Amino acid sequence: MEFFKEIIISGLLLGGLFFLAVGALGLIRLPDVFTRMHATGKCDTLGAGMILAAMFLLVPGLTDKVKIVLMGALIATINPVMTHLIALVTYNRGQPPARGTWTLDYYDYGKNNRVEEIPEEEDNRK
Amino acid sequence: MVEQVLTIMQFGLATLIILAMIRAFAGPTAADRLVAINFIVGQVILFILVSSPRADIALYIDVSLVFVLGAFIATIGVLKLLEEGKL
């Protein structure tokens, strides 16, 4: 029984590390801020949830288990809200996505706009 | 077996923090750096939490809980600075 518990804990820990590694890979390799946010926002929440589940099984004592459950609830609510806020502020500042992205304009629904080549003097990505 | 896996977790999370710091230093815009810093904060929380059973200090769980509560204030501050131009 103890052996199966250790197997489950190890699997959850290594799975969480795998998803976090995928998120870090996306953070480094993807072309613009929106896609990087897309990679980290989801992988970070899932990986943190798996590692917290493993720690929930690992620690003894009810107090520590309750603290870990509270931590999981806070991460699962704060992390997507933060990602949404960063995306909203970035969009409102007019920062364009990567070249070649198909966007649905916020103020003009139903019309697909493709981000074209931006002239050098209007490129406010820097 | 769990002890070895926890060692692997510590090395892996440290590697991920270093990889995300590359993006935090090299990111072309402020929003890229903000996303990278947000990611690093999550990794640091998990690193403290994973260090708790190996060091045999249960107080690290409280440290990690307080880190969760306070870590996102800086992100909100930087976002308000970007949106309004002042704090």
Side-chain angles (χ1 to χ4, degrees):
Chain A
M1 194 60 209
E2 200 63 29
F3 181 70
F4 286 114
K5 192 180 172 188
E6 287 195 356
I7 291 281
I8 290 172
I9 288 172
S10 305
L12 280 174
L13 283 172
L14 291 177
L17 185 62
F18 169 72
F19 280 110
L20 290 174
V22 171
L25 190 66
L27 180 67
I28 289 183
R29 292 286 300 163
L30 286 174
D32 69 338
V33 61
F34 297 103
T35 47
R36 282 168 198 153
M37 212 178 298
H38 148 80
T40 62
K42 285 179 285 195
C43 292
D44 197 11
T45 311
L46 180 61
M50 287 176 80
I51 292 175
L52 283 168
M55 295 303 293
F56 179 82
L57 293 175
L58 188 60
V59 296
L62 185 63
T63 316
D64 291 341
K65 284 186 196 295
V66 169
K67 277 172 199 160
I68 287 175
V69 168
L70 187 60
M71 209 184 302
L74 282 171
I75 286 178
T77 52
I78 290 175
N79 225 352
V81 170
M82 275 302 133
T83 310
H84 177 84
L85 269 180
I86 294 173
L88 187 66
V89 169
T90 311
Y91 185 83
N92 282 340
R93 291 179 82 217
Q95 181 173 322
R99 287 178 191 159
T101 309
W102 286 91
T103 64
L104 188 63
D105 200 338
Y106 187 72
Y107 301 106
D108 191 10
Y109 268 107
K111 183 177 163 210
N112 278 321
N113 299 316
R114 186 171 179 140
V115 178
E116 298 295 343
E117 283 285 318
I118 304 166
E120 194 61 43
E121 62 270 12
E122 294 178 14
D123 194 352
N124 54 356
R125 265 184 280 191
K126 292 267 180 335
Chain B
M1 186 172 67
V2 175
E3 285 78 18
Q4 285 86 358
V5 173
L6 286 175
T7 311
I8 293 172
M9 290 297 295
Q10 282 179 327
F11 277 106
L13 286 176
T15 311
L16 291 188
I17 289 170
I18 291 170
L19 285 179
M21 277 174 78
I22 294 173
R23 175 55 70 195
F25 277 111
T29 67
D32 289 315
R33 295 195 168 99
L34 210 51
V35 171
I37 293 296
N38 222 344
F39 189 72
I40 289 172
V41 165
Q43 310 312 301
V44 168
I45 291 165
L46 293 174
F47 188 87
I48 297 171
L49 190 66
V50 164
S51 302
S52 163
R54 271 186 61 79
D56 204 7
I57 302 174
L59 198 63
Y60 281 178
I61 297 175
D62 300 85
V63 174
S64 153
L65 180 58
V66 173
F67 213 105
V68 172
L69 291 175
F72 300 93
I73 308 295
T75 310
I76 294 176
V78 176
L79 281 176
K80 193 176 176 193
L81 179 65
L82 287 179
E83 178 90 13
E84 301 178 5
K86 62 181 174 54
L87 280 175

